[in-house]
């Protein structure tokens, strides 16, 4: 017969206390082994609660939780937030008795002690944990300092919980830690992104070229690519930044951007302002494509149409994002700055004129038209008499400026203003407004409405 670790004498003492005077050794041995088995079950479950609570000291609450799990009535009166102190008393030779020492409380201090604060009533409030993947800075959300303090929390039972916290406060005040957010994409989305970008940039001789039209169609209509929007934005910026000498890559990247902007099923407002720099680079950049190559004008025209699409969908009063509504003022500031910079080449002036035209008649009248006289006399008259490349650049700028002034004519037509005739004094007014160079160009077109719109 196996011997139990539980003392059979304790079983016999309990039996005598309930009126069972005589128990055989076999019965007390069997009861001792049963008690040992049941205690091991309770302690095993209690240890599980302790480990899941990230503690190394077993508490009475762990034992109570284990008893509830085992469908046993829990022990009452042992729940305590303070450590229990056990005293030892001897009831005979070699028979110690352990008991819980009672805390002595001064009755006078207990009566005179202030009453505890009344607890608050239970209430529920709602707040945004994150908006578009960004955690708002509100009191309900943890701050970076809180996360840093948790990282510096003491590890182990013997660690001091105060010294690391103080060290964490000093480190958090002197350094800023960026929260690491892991954006996990499925394998299907990663493969989709790789194939789409490869097909969009494929050359006609590449095997992926046959899928190019399907790729652009998917970007402009697929509703399941919302998670890939930041990746496409980074891809567009990277390709424009590192491929300014490649007309093909810039053209295909702009087509990709236009396809994304045309997709009504995805939400692009958070990255709308991030799409402006690469498009603006293709529009007013100093060096687009190879040197002495006029193909860059097609890239600038395409960038202008993509920028117009961006302004139509993510700017103006209808925009619900405050950052997106500031695209037009920033664009006007960048374009007029490049237009008035005497160090910029004429090709950059062409892109700046296109950009100002997109912003409407008010910007054209106050920013572009007021500077045409200086632009024509100081920047364009000499290149018109230069070599073929300079003459082409100057004619492109003049054509873009005349097209921009056409916005004023369209506005006049919408108002229903009658044109009437033209006289010599109208030409003098026109020359005072836009200079002699542009006056010769516009007067020769014979567009009465355009001249009246400029001088009005």
């Amino acid at each position: 017969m196996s011997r139990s670790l539980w003392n059979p004498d304790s079983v016999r003492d309990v039996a005598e206390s309930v009126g069972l005077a005589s128990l055989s050794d076999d019965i007390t041995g069997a009861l001792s082994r049963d008690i040992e088995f049941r205690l091991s079950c309770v302690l095993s479950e209690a240890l599980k609660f302790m480990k899941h609570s990230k503690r190394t000291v077993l508490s009475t609450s762990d034992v109570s939780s284990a008893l509830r799990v085992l469908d046993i009535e829990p022990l009452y009166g042992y729940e305590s937030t303070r450590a229990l102190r056990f005293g030892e008393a001897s009831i005979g030779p070699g028979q110690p008795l352990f008991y819980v020492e009672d805390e002595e409380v001064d009755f006078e201090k207990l009566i005179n002690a202030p009453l505890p604060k009344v607890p608050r009533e239970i209430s529920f409030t709602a707040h945004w944990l994150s908006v578009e993947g960004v955690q708002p800075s509100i009191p309900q959300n943890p701050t970076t300092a809180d996360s840093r303090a948790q990282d510096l929390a003491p590890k182990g039972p013997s660690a001091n919980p105060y010294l690391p916290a103080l060290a964490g406060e000093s480190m958090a005040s002197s350094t800023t830690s960026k929260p690491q957010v892991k954006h996990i994409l499925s394998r299907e989305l990663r493969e989709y992104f790789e194939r789409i970008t490869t097909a969009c940039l494929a050359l006609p001789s590449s095997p992926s070229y046959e899928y190019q039209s399907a790729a652009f169609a998917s970007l402009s209509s697929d509703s399941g690519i919302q998670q890939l929007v930041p990746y496409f934005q980074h891809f567009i910026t990277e390709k424009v930044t590192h491929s300014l000498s490649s007309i093909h890559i810039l053209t295909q990247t702009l087509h990709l951007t236009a396809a994304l902007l045309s997709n009504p099923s995805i939400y692009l407002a958070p990255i709308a302002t991030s799409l402006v720099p690469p498009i603006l680079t293709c529009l007013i950049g100093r060096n687009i494509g190879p040197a002495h190559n006029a193909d860059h004008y097609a890239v600038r025209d395409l960038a202008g149409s993509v920028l117009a699409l961006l302004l139509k969908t993510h700017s103006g009063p209808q925009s619900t994002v405050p950052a997106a509504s500031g695209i037009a003022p920033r664009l006007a500031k960048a374009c007029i700055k490049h237009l008035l910079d005497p160090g910029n080449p004429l090709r950059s002036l062409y892109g700046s004129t296109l950009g100002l035209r997109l912003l409407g008649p008010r910007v054209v009248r106050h920013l572009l038209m007021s500077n045409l006289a200086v632009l024509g006399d100081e920047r364009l008259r000499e290149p018109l008499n230069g070599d073929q490349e300079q003459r082409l650049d100057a004619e492109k700028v003049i054509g873009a400026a005349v097209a921009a002034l056409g916005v004023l004519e369209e506005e006049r037509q919408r108002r229903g203003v009658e044109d009437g005739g033209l006289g010599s004094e109208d030409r003098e007014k026109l020359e005072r407004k836009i200079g002699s160079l542009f006056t010769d160009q516009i007067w020769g077109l014979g567009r009465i409405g355009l001249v009246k719109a400029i001088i009005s």
Side-chain angles (χ1 to χ4, degrees):
M1 179 182 295
S2 60
R3 182 175 178 81
S4 173
L5 296 177
W6 188 264
N7 191 354
D9 294 336
S10 62
V11 177
R12 189 174 288 107
D13 293 338
V14 174
E16 292 176 355
S17 65
V18 296
L20 299 177
S22 60
L23 285 179
S24 64
D25 294 340
D26 294 338
I27 295 177
T28 55
L31 289 175
S32 299
R33 290 190 295 271
D34 185 67
I35 293 173
E36 179 185 349
F37 169 72
R38 296 183 183 278
L39 282 177
S40 64
C41 292
V42 173
L43 290 176
S44 177
E45 293 295 333
L47 288 174
K48 292 180 182 178
F49 282 99
M50 181 193 71
K51 292 178 180 178
H52 284 295
S53 301
K54 308 295 183 183
R55 287 184 283 104
T56 57
V57 178
L58 191 66
S59 65
T60 55
S61 61
D62 298 328
V63 178
S64 298
S65 301
L67 292 174
R68 290 190 181 93
V69 168
L70 296 173
D71 198 17
I72 303 174
E73 186 178 2
L75 300 177
Y76 300 104
Y78 288 97
E79 292 287 344
S80 176
T81 56
R82 62 183 179 86
L84 297 179
R85 294 182 301 175
F86 292 91
E88 181 180 356
S90 178
I91 60 176
Q95 295 183 0
L97 177 64
F98 295 94
Y99 63 95
V100 178
E101 294 183 355
D102 294 330
E103 182 180 2
E104 294 183 359
V105 179
D106 190 348
F107 194 66
E108 185 178 355
K109 289 183 179 179
L110 183 62
I111 293 176
N112 297 328
L115 295 175
K117 293 183 179 179
V118 178
R120 294 182 178 179
E121 295 184 359
I122 298 177
S123 60
F124 298 93
T125 58
H127 68 90
W128 288 103
L129 182 61
S130 65
V131 179
E132 295 295 330
V134 179
Q135 178 179 286
S137 298
I138 57 178
Q140 290 83 358
N141 288 334
T143 61
T144 306
D146 296 336
S147 301
R148 181 65 176 169
Q150 291 180 2
D151 294 338
L152 295 174
K155 307 296 190 297
S158 60
N160 191 332
Y162 300 105
L163 293 179
L166 294 175
E169 290 181 1
S170 61
M171 292 179 64
S173 61
S174 59
T175 60
T176 57
S177 59
K178 186 178 181 181
Q180 296 181 355
V181 180
K182 213 170 186 180
H183 193 190
I184 301 176
L185 290 176
S186 63
R187 184 176 61 85
E188 290 79 8
L189 281 178
R190 291 198 300 268
E191 186 175 353
Y192 174 87
F193 178 79
E194 293 174 1
R195 294 194 178 187
I196 286 291
T197 52
T198 302
C200 290
L201 300 182
L203 294 169
S205 58
S206 174
S208 302
Y209 182 75
E210 58 179 323
Y211 305 111
Q212 192 171 97
S213 58
F216 287 131
S218 176
L219 287 174
S220 60
S221 60
D222 200 336
S223 60
I225 59 174
Q226 183 65 51
Q227 284 187 319
L228 293 176
V229 167
Y231 296 89
F232 280 119
Q233 181 265 323
H234 178 72
F235 176 81
I236 293 169
T237 304
E238 183 181 10
K239 287 302 175 184
V240 172
T241 304
H242 297 93
S243 306
L244 289 177
S245 60
S246 175
I247 295 293
H248 172 75
I249 293 180
L250 293 179
T251 302
Q252 298 305 109
T253 304
L254 288 172
H255 282 304
L256 188 152
T257 308
L260 286 176
L261 292 172
S262 303
N263 193 335
S265 303
I266 58 177
Y267 186 60
L268 295 177
I271 67 162
T273 54
S274 301
L275 290 175
V276 174
I279 302 175
L280 200 58
T281 300
C282 296
L283 182 67
I284 63 177
R286 295 170 61 93
N287 299 313
I288 302 296
H292 309 292
N293 191 329
D295 292 340
H296 66 89
Y297 285 111
V299 176
R300 297 179 193 273
D301 292 336
L302 179 59
S305 63
V306 175
L307 194 57
L309 181 61
L310 177 63
L311 290 172
K312 180 181 178 181
T313 55
H314 295 92
S315 185
Q318 72 277 13
S319 177
T320 58
V321 181
S325 61
I327 292 178
R330 292 169 55 189
L331 178 60
K333 183 178 180 180
C335 289
I336 195 64
K337 178 182 178 181
H338 281 73
L339 185 70
L340 300 180
D341 189 354
N344 282 333
L346 295 181
R347 56 182 62 186
S348 181
L349 269 61
Y350 173 80
S352 302
T353 307
L354 288 181
L356 292 174
R357 177 189 176 186
L358 300 175
L359 299 176
R362 185 178 179 183
V363 173
V364 170
R365 182 177 297 278
H366 292 284
L367 295 183
L368 178 61
M369 193 177 73
S370 60
N371 293 290
L372 286 181
V374 178
L375 182 66
D377 294 337
E378 297 183 1
R379 298 298 308 276
L380 298 177
R381 191 174 296 278
E382 183 178 350
L384 283 174
N385 300 321
D387 56 21
Q388 182 178 0
E389 183 178 357
Q390 292 179 343
R391 188 164 58 254
L392 174 63
D393 291 341
E395 291 174 353
K396 283 286 187 179
V397 176
I398 293 174
V402 173
L405 293 174
V407 177
L408 304 178
E409 183 182 11
E410 296 174 359
E411 182 190 26
R412 180 182 176 86
Q413 292 174 353
R414 285 195 298 269
R415 295 204 307 263
V417 181
E418 296 183 1
D419 296 335
L422 293 177
S424 58
E425 57 183 19
D426 293 329
R427 182 183 176 92
E428 294 176 358
K429 292 180 180 178
L430 185 65
E431 188 169 347
R432 287 197 299 269
K433 287 279 188 179
I434 60 176
S436 59
L437 178 64
F438 285 98
T439 297
D440 296 338
Q441 296 290 331
I442 293 177
W443 195 267
L445 295 176
R447 294 166 59 178
I448 300 177
L450 178 58
V451 175
K452 292 292 186 180
I454 297 173
I455 65 177
S456 62

